[in-house]
Amino acid sequence: MSSAAITEEDLQAYVDGRLSPERNAEVQRHLSACPEDAARVQAYIAHRHLLRSHFDAMLAEPLPGWARDFQAGTDTAPIRRANRLVRGDSRRMLQALAAVLLLAVAVGSGWIARGYFDATGEDRRTPMLAMSGSLASLPRQAAIAHVVYSPDVVRPVEINADQEGLLVNWLSRRMGTSVRPPRLAAFGFELIGGRLLPGGGGPVAQFMYHDITGQRITVYITTERSAQWPEHADGLRYAQEGPVNVFYWGTGHFGYALSAGIGKNELRRVALAVYEQSRARSS
Amino acid sequence: MAGKAAEETGGKVATEEESAQIANCIPRLRRYARTLLAEGALADDLVQDTLERALNRLHRFERGRDMRAWLFSVMHNLYIDQLRQPGLAARSLDEADYEIPCAGVQEPLQLRDVQTALCMLPVEQREVLLLVGVEEMNYGEVAATLAIPLGTVMSRLSRGRERLRWLMEGGRMTTSLKAVK
């Protein structure tokens, strides 16, 4: 048996039908002797077919107007240039904004060395080095996560709201406890989706919402409550991290933080609703 | 890549044949763009930018070469340029990053939808899977189009297929497949 000589490249080329007939026969011999590789190759071939039919269906889709114009030889370049300028400007502005926000959060919150107060008012003066440990406070972590992800146009979330069941299952499994997105529809904020973030003591869930003006709110949920939230520390707290307003609180096993670039009073109304929902869930 | 050297300005006017060749590629360019960018509007922006750049650089296109492959490489390069713009959430193209799935998904996902699964692959693997399995390019053409070594094509293909299988099967198997050189 020549299985020792069969390489991974041979298997891939077998899937793509790009082997010589002799080599093809050798690979087939190898596969009949190696069920593991055979199963793998069989799956690759099946997925190749699936992808092929999925993508070939795209070719039959009707073309948008600009593509038909191009095919017809109509010169649409001036219009497109103008469009792109507008689009490009807004994209660049978003990028610049994200950079400024991040800097503002980092500077404004004294990322370098700083202590924080626990519920007893005792200054713990824990030195915190920039991004090195798990001790950046909940509102700061939440604000940073907000400015990093909320301006993202292409992939603001990992799993979209249209797969909410999947999102909830996945986040809950990773967090080790049931986590679901609060409902903000009453305030005009619709769920975009969610993502998982690394936190100091484990994974953190971030849900993102937007309203019709494109304004985005993120809800940051951590299970690090025990470290950051002494008992009896319930109640809504407020922090301003650079240009981002954050309301945060601890309930049950969770720490929550709501971040947005919107006005404090407006955000407070939303935060109160999420606060009530979180308390209802944990009681 | 001498092409038609007479075009100093790059302002060569496309012949009718070339225009038709380019126009015929639009549907394929659109699906390639949608492999790179999940959002349809951005993908179509990329296609239009590609057409414009291709027309401006037509003097670099060697007659007799595969127009589709050339347009794909124009698009690929534009996409990479966009990634490199400061401030965009760019993922480096280092091999080292490959162990990180694009969406950070490591849990069983009960997915059977090939499009969803594909979207969870790193973009470098996605485009190789598309060019090899859908566009039916041979490995050498893929390497030339993406300007990467043949070995890199093969390792991206191998990793991409394995991760796709993992995702399609609900992510339960162990992914022990490491660098295949």
Side-chain angles (χ1 to χ4, degrees):
Chain A
M1 200 176 70
S2 60
S3 63
I6 303 290
T7 64
E8 179 66 23
E9 278 85 352
D10 285 327
L11 295 181
Q12 298 300 331
Y14 178 83
V15 170
D16 293 315
R18 297 201 175 273
L19 291 175
S20 68
E22 302 76 40
R23 195 61 179 159
N24 207 61
E26 285 168 16
V27 170
Q28 268 171 350
R29 267 201 301 282
H30 163 74
L31 292 178
S32 61
C34 178
E36 205 175 303
D37 277 353
R40 194 152 67 88
V41 162
Q42 205 171 20
Y44 293 166
I45 291 172
H47 296 154
R48 193 184 195 282
H49 282 302
L50 272 176
L51 273 178
R52 183 69 198 266
S53 54
H54 172 78
F55 276 99
D56 279 351
M58 269 187 205
L59 292 182
E61 288 176 17
L63 287 175
W66 58 263
R68 289 196 307 271
D69 290 346
F70 186 94
Q71 290 185 333
T74 318
D75 184 15
T76 57
I79 301 167
R80 288 195 297 104
R81 255 192 293 279
N83 285 343
R84 197 175 44 253
L85 261 180
V86 174
R87 282 194 304 266
D89 279 353
S90 59
R91 232 184 275 169
R92 267 192 296 282
M93 268 177 62
L94 262 178
Q95 290 160 14
L97 188 66
V100 168
L101 286 175
L102 189 57
L103 191 67
V105 168
V107 171
S109 60
W111 217 344
I112 306 306
R114 184 175 162 177
Y116 65 96
F117 293 83
D118 67 11
T120 63
E122 181 193 351
D123 185 355
R124 292 156 101 174
R125 283 285 164 213
T126 313
M128 282 185 265
L129 293 176
M131 303 184 76
S132 66
S134 59
L135 293 173
S137 72
L138 175 66
R140 193 170 314 149
Q141 286 176 6
I144 290 167
H146 180 82
V147 296
V148 167
Y149 291 107
S150 65
D152 196 324
V153 181
V154 179
R155 190 183 276 281
V157 295
E158 282 172 340
I159 300 187
N160 288 325
D162 55 9
Q163 295 180 292
E164 193 178 325
L166 184 72
L167 174 66
V168 165
N169 281 340
W170 174 59
L171 288 176
S172 299
R173 206 158 24 202
R174 296 303 300 269
M175 301 274 292
T177 179
S178 166
V179 179
R180 42 184 77 249
R183 301 285 160 210
L184 306 186
F187 301 90
F189 283 93
E190 180 197 1
L191 183 68
I192 302 173
R195 66 165 64 240
L196 198 67
L197 299 169
V204 172
Q206 184 194 48
F207 294 110
M208 195 179 300
Y209 301 79
H210 63 175
D211 67 8
I212 50 167
T213 69
Q215 189 63 251
R216 287 179 170 179
I217 286 183
T218 56
V219 177
Y220 186 93
I221 305 179
T222 161
T223 53
E224 291 172 62
R225 186 176 171 195
S226 52
Q228 299 212 346
W229 296 93
E231 285 305 313
H232 316 301
D234 284 350
L236 215 55
R237 299 172 178 202
Y238 169 73
Q240 189 177 6
E241 298 283 351
V244 181
N245 287 320
V246 185
F247 283 94
Y248 62 106
W249 63 94
T251 298
H253 300 298
F254 297 101
Y256 288 81
L258 197 71
S259 310
I262 61 178
K264 183 179 171 183
N265 287 335
E266 187 185 351
L267 188 61
R268 187 207 305 276
R269 280 198 298 277
V270 183
L272 273 171
V274 179
Y275 177 67
E276 293 307 327
Q277 288 178 35
S278 71
R279 288 175 64 82
R281 264 179 60 74
S282 70
S283 60
Chain B
M1 224 186 273
K4 301 190 174 178
E7 267 48 63
E8 297 281 332
T9 58
K12 170 178 178 283
V13 177
T15 64
E16 273 194 25
E17 187 197 344
E18 286 162 343
S19 297
Q21 279 180 354
I22 294 173
N24 285 341
C25 289
I26 289 178
R28 288 174 185 278
L29 287 170
R30 289 184 78 214
R31 75 175 176 184
Y32 182 32
R34 278 190 273 172
T35 312
L36 298 172
L37 295 164
E39 217 234 294
L42 289 177
D44 272 357
D45 276 6
L46 181 61
V47 175
Q48 295 184 63
D49 290 348
T50 301
L51 294 173
E52 183 164 331
R53 187 183 275 196
L55 288 177
N56 285 334
R57 299 191 178 181
L58 202 56
H59 59 290
R60 297 195 190 177
F61 175 69
E62 286 174 83
R63 197 165 273 269
R65 225 187 128 188
D66 179 8
M67 177 64 86
R68 174 192 60 154
W70 182 67
L71 290 174
F72 279 12
S73 67
V74 170
M75 179 178 285
H76 172 79
N77 290 333
L78 263 174
Y79 173 75
I80 298 293
D81 289 351
Q82 286 184 7
L83 277 190
R84 286 184 184 144
Q85 281 172 18
L88 270 188
R91 194 173 48 246
S92 114
L93 291 172
D94 286 351
E95 287 280 335
D97 271 4
Y98 280 13
E99 295 307 317
I100 306 166
C102 67
V105 176
Q106 285 162 352
E107 265 312 280
L109 273 181
Q110 305 309 329
L111 291 169
R112 297 294 184 270
D113 175 4
V114 70
Q115 162 81 356
T116 314
L118 187 74
C119 280
M120 291 178 173
L121 299 184
V123 67
E124 300 81 12
Q125 295 174 9
R126 262 185 271 161
E127 58 183 351
V128 169
L129 283 186
L130 178 91
L131 296 181
V132 169
V134 179
E135 292 293 341
E136 297 283 359
M137 286 187 180
N138 69 40
Y139 305 140
E141 287 171 330
V142 176
T145 299
L146 302 179
I148 52 175
L150 193 61
T152 308
V153 173
M154 297 314 292
S155 69
R156 289 181 186 181
L157 183 62
S158 171
R159 287 163 191 240
R161 283 190 167 145
E162 187 58 10
R163 183 160 287 282
L164 190 70
R165 177 167 79 112
W166 179 73
L167 289 164
M168 293 290 284
E169 292 178 1
R172 271 201 200 80
M173 15 174 288
T174 52
T175 44
S176 57
L177 201 70
K178 296 289 175 194
V180 177
K181 289 290 167 190

